[in-house]
Amino acid sequence: MHIGWHLSAAGGFMAMGRTALEAGADTFAFFTRNPRGGAAKPLDTADAAALMAFLSEHSFAPLVVHAPYTLNACSDKEGVRDFARQAFAEDLQRMEATPGQLYNFHPGSHMKQGVEEGIRMISEMLNATLFSEMTTTVLLETMAGKGSEVGSRFEELREIIDRVDLGDKLGVCFDTCHTYDAGYDIVNDLDGVLTEFDKIIGLGRLKAVHLNDSKNPFKSHKDRHETIGNGSLGMDAIRRVLNHPALRDLPFILETPHETVAEYAEEIKFVRALAQ
């Protein structure tokens, strides 16, 4: 299995790679820019090239890079939509400095405009920013359904994919907390949930897992992550996720509420033991 967590990009690409390796990770995530802000820092292409060599040398799985939370392609505010399109386009160009990775984003919140309008706007942004030569696979994340979030139902993600011209550039990141909070019972019927995913979206599009326990009960639509085994999913369900044949070879990214590298290193060790 491949597992990592969200690292700070402040020290550069190689710093993240070394930190991940020292903590026992063989993949990781980072935000392309401040997750609550806008501008991205200048791209160091030499540092990016060094990271690519490092990842190959140590047999890392693809990285699961994350778009900023402020990116909302289906906002009711034109300025927010404009930022989403600009940031998305910039990020996809910058991602080519580290070819072959995954770029994950939250589809967006329709702000009471309706799910169908939200899907239309998200698809429109993707059609305006994806390009045929890109090596990055863009991942739509499964969402918990809080507020007016788009993407809490598999059918919504499928409809976005179907409306995008370069649909072969799209995949899905399966967030365990979000999916459970959205009403898919991965605790008692993981096989059934994945069968439904396969029927609606296709398991071939499932490219990464955000591995999180949940602070809230089933179908709560709350999206509050918990450390592994200490939430409503529990140890046995997490173990089944890790060992499921449709999931076990994917990159797993922890988004659990830890603050230090040492804490994530311990959780990575714990998760690897669960997967045995």
Side-chain angles (χ1 to χ4, degrees):
M1 65 169 298
H2 307 285
I3 188 159
W5 80 104
H6 271 274
L7 278 75
S8 168
F13 291 116
M14 276 301 297
M16 289 190 289
R18 293 190 188 100
T19 298
L21 186 66
E22 290 167 4
D26 57 357
T27 182
F28 59 89
F30 64 92
F31 285 98
T32 55
R33 56 191 72 209
N34 187 317
R36 302 292 179 186
K41 70 177 188 178
L43 180 65
D44 185 336
T45 55
D47 192 26
L51 174 66
M52 291 304 296
F54 182 89
L55 299 180
S56 177
E57 178 185 356
H58 296 285
S59 302
F60 270 54
L63 308 183
V64 189
V65 183
H66 208 300
Y69 294 134
T70 46
L71 195 153
N72 185 7
C74 57
S75 172
D76 57 346
K77 296 180 173 59
E78 185 177 359
V80 175
R81 296 196 303 273
D82 288 345
F83 166 75
R85 184 175 298 195
Q86 177 184 347
F88 211 92
E90 288 177 359
D91 282 357
L92 291 186
Q93 291 292 336
R94 290 163 61 91
M95 287 288 296
E96 291 305 301
T98 52
Q101 311 308 317
L102 306 170
Y103 178 72
N104 180 73
F105 80 109
H106 294 180
S109 295
H110 61 73
M111 311 300 288
K112 299 182 180 180
Q113 298 174 98
V115 172
E116 281 302 314
E117 181 64 3
I119 288 171
R120 184 192 68 77
M121 290 179 172
I122 295 162
S123 305
E124 185 179 79
M125 182 202 69
L126 290 168
N127 278 323
T129 54
L130 302 186
F131 54 99
S132 59
E133 302 84 7
M134 61 188 281
T135 64
T136 302
T137 299
V138 172
L139 305 185
L140 298 152
E141 185 170 337
T142 59
M143 303 306 295
K146 66 178 181 179
S148 61
E149 280 181 341
V150 178
S152 65
R153 308 306 301 168
F154 297 158
E155 290 85 356
E156 295 171 11
L157 300 179
R158 176 79 249 184
E159 189 171 349
I160 292 169
I161 292 167
D162 285 345
R163 291 184 180 212
V164 174
D165 297 333
L166 296 176
D168 60 317
K169 304 295 185 182
L170 296 177
V172 173
C173 177
F174 190 98
D175 187 298
T176 53
C177 170
H178 295 177
T179 305
Y180 188 66
D181 284 11
Y184 292 98
D185 194 356
I186 62 174
V187 171
N188 298 300
D189 190 19
L190 177 61
D191 283 338
V193 171
L194 291 175
T195 296
E196 184 174 355
F197 183 98
D198 191 32
K199 180 180 178 181
I200 296 169
I201 298 175
L203 286 170
R205 290 195 184 270
L206 187 48
K207 302 297 184 183
V209 177
H210 280 170
L211 189 68
N212 306 300
D213 214 319
S214 176
K215 290 182 181 291
N216 293 101
F218 177 61
K219 210 173 182 177
S220 62
H221 304 293
K222 293 292 186 183
D223 183 12
R224 294 186 65 217
H225 299 184
E226 182 55 282
T227 52
I228 299 303
N230 296 312
S232 59
L233 274 71
M235 208 85 72
D236 289 342
I238 295 293
R239 182 183 290 109
R240 286 192 291 272
V241 168
L242 289 166
N243 289 288
H244 196 284
L247 305 175
R248 62 190 177 198
D249 294 328
L250 300 176
F252 287 84
I253 301 296
L254 294 164
E255 295 182 317
T256 47
H258 293 304
E259 295 185 359
T260 68
V261 172
E263 288 173 318
Y264 278 112
E266 280 299 311
E267 192 164 58
I268 288 169
K269 183 178 178 181
F270 175 69
V271 168
R272 289 199 187 281
L274 279 182
Q276 294 176 354

